[in-house]
Amino acid sequence: MNKTIYSRFDKKAITDLPVVTFPGRVITIITPGEAEKAVDYLLQSDIMGVDTETKPAFHRGEQNKVALLQVSNRDTCFLFRLNLMGITPAVKRLLEDKTVKKIGLSWHDDIRGLEAREPFTPGLFIDLQDIVGEIGIKDLSLQKIYANIFHAKISKRQRLTNWEASPLSEKQKQYAAIDAWSCIQIYDELNRLKKTGAYNLVVVPEPEPAQPIQKDKEKPDSAKKTVAEPVRKKAAKAKPAKKPGRKRKIKKTSPEIKNINVQEHIS
């Protein structure tokens, strides 16, 4: 049975989808020694999913360094606490490795953030944003892409939490692990769909650009007349009728009254 894929997934539809949970182990790494063992283990994998987290900055000019590097294989995710140990030689070895595919999303931005901590030569990385278009998907966010392909929701509630907190909460750990692990799931499924062609693409029309609001002076004469006409009729209706048989007396204004300064009179 073919899978239905949308060129653009409706963000409103994500709300009612079942929430994704990470099915494997989550291991936090805080020392160079632990990092060495974790990297040795990860480099034996056939594929990795990668992502980073940074403590959000809420003030102008404030900029924080990458606090967390999460790297997952198919069943285990390691959380490297870079704010506590920095980029160790083992972590650098992982980032420069060219033997195992490392899958991320918008990974070019993550690399810049990591290089701000420690210069390195990026190894074998694949960015999902560069390949989703091969089956017609135009969305670039992890949440939309995952919902489109798997009809499940990646919660983003922990995104703006403090990633330098000690310790990280269980919800933060789950969030970080899912973001890395889900990249593997998307990559595998994209390859399967491309190879088998077992999908139907529904092309969603591009959203129409907002029309500029016309100013009054740009309205046609007919439109102005339509607006002004009821006002004139209302004013005419409110004017009291003249009583028959009476003549209005017109007072002659003397030259002295004409010369009164109105502004001075009011003040």
Side-chain angles (χ1 to χ4, degrees):
M1 183 176 178
N2 284 0
K3 178 176 287 190
T4 299
I5 300 294
Y6 298 87
S7 61
R8 294 187 183 277
F9 197 80
D10 184 1
K11 188 174 183 179
K12 295 179 182 178
I14 298 176
T15 305
D16 299 326
L17 295 176
V19 178
V20 179
T21 56
F22 180 63
R25 300 178 300 165
V26 182
I27 301 174
T28 303
I29 304 299
I30 60 175
T31 68
E34 292 172 347
E36 194 75 35
K37 294 178 182 178
V39 169
D40 288 343
Y41 174 83
L42 284 167
L43 289 178
Q44 298 176 40
S45 309
D46 65 317
I47 194 171
M48 301 181 211
V50 293
D51 194 21
T52 66
E53 304 297 340
T54 302
K55 179 182 178 181
F58 297 107
H59 304 287
R60 182 178 294 180
E62 181 183 358
Q63 190 171 2
N64 298 313
K65 291 185 177 181
V66 174
L68 186 72
L69 168 66
Q70 56 260 48
V71 185
S72 177
N73 60 15
R74 299 186 185 279
D75 56 33
T76 305
C77 183
F78 293 91
L79 307 181
F80 296 90
R81 305 276 330 254
L82 302 185
N83 61 305
L84 299 179
M85 64 180 187
I87 294 182
T88 67
V91 173
K92 187 174 181 179
R93 176 161 58 93
L94 176 70
L95 294 172
E96 293 186 337
D97 170 73
K98 295 181 179 180
T99 63
V100 183
K101 288 182 288 189
K102 288 164 277 295
I103 317 300
L105 186 133
S106 189
W107 186 245
H108 308 291
D109 297 331
D110 293 86
I111 287 178
R112 284 196 294 269
L114 290 166
E115 287 178 330
R117 274 197 171 275
E118 176 78 26
F120 65 95
T121 303
L124 179 54
F125 289 100
I126 298 173
D127 195 323
L128 290 173
Q129 289 185 343
D130 295 336
I131 62 176
V132 290
E134 294 175 9
I135 66 168
I137 294 177
K138 295 185 178 180
D139 289 320
L140 297 179
S141 77
L142 184 70
Q143 187 184 55
K144 280 190 174 183
I145 295 170
Y146 196 92
N148 196 351
I149 295 176
F150 296 108
H151 299 285
K153 174 185 176 180
I154 294 178
S155 173
K156 289 295 178 182
R157 290 185 178 181
Q158 301 300 312
R159 184 171 66 90
L160 296 179
T161 54
N162 181 9
W163 292 101
E164 294 181 6
S166 291
L168 294 176
S169 69
E170 289 303 315
K171 289 183 178 180
Q172 285 178 307
K173 292 177 182 179
Q174 273 285 311
Y175 173 91
I178 289 170
D179 270 11
W181 170 81
S182 62
C183 289
I184 299 175
Q185 309 309 305
I186 292 172
Y187 179 77
D188 283 346
E189 186 65 2
L190 285 174
N191 282 334
R192 186 187 76 82
L193 293 175
K194 284 190 295 182
K195 184 177 180 180
T196 63
Y199 66 96
N200 297 318
L201 178 67
V202 177
V203 178
V204 179
E206 296 283 343
E208 294 184 5
Q211 296 295 326
I213 300 174
Q214 285 188 333
K215 297 180 180 180
D216 289 342
K217 64 180 181 180
E218 296 175 351
K219 291 180 179 179
D221 293 339
S222 58
K224 294 179 181 178
K225 184 177 180 181
T226 304
V227 175
E229 192 65 28
V231 177
R232 287 198 294 270
K233 287 182 179 179
K234 186 176 180 180
K237 187 177 180 181
K239 187 176 180 180
K242 294 180 181 179
K243 293 183 179 181
R246 283 191 177 184
K247 292 183 180 180
R248 294 177 63 190
K249 292 182 180 180
I250 301 173
K251 293 183 179 181
K252 294 183 179 179
T253 306
S254 65
E256 294 178 0
I257 294 176
K258 285 183 180 179
N259 292 333
I260 291 177
N261 186 305
V262 177
Q263 197 64 37
E264 291 178 359
H265 184 67
I266 293 173
S267 60

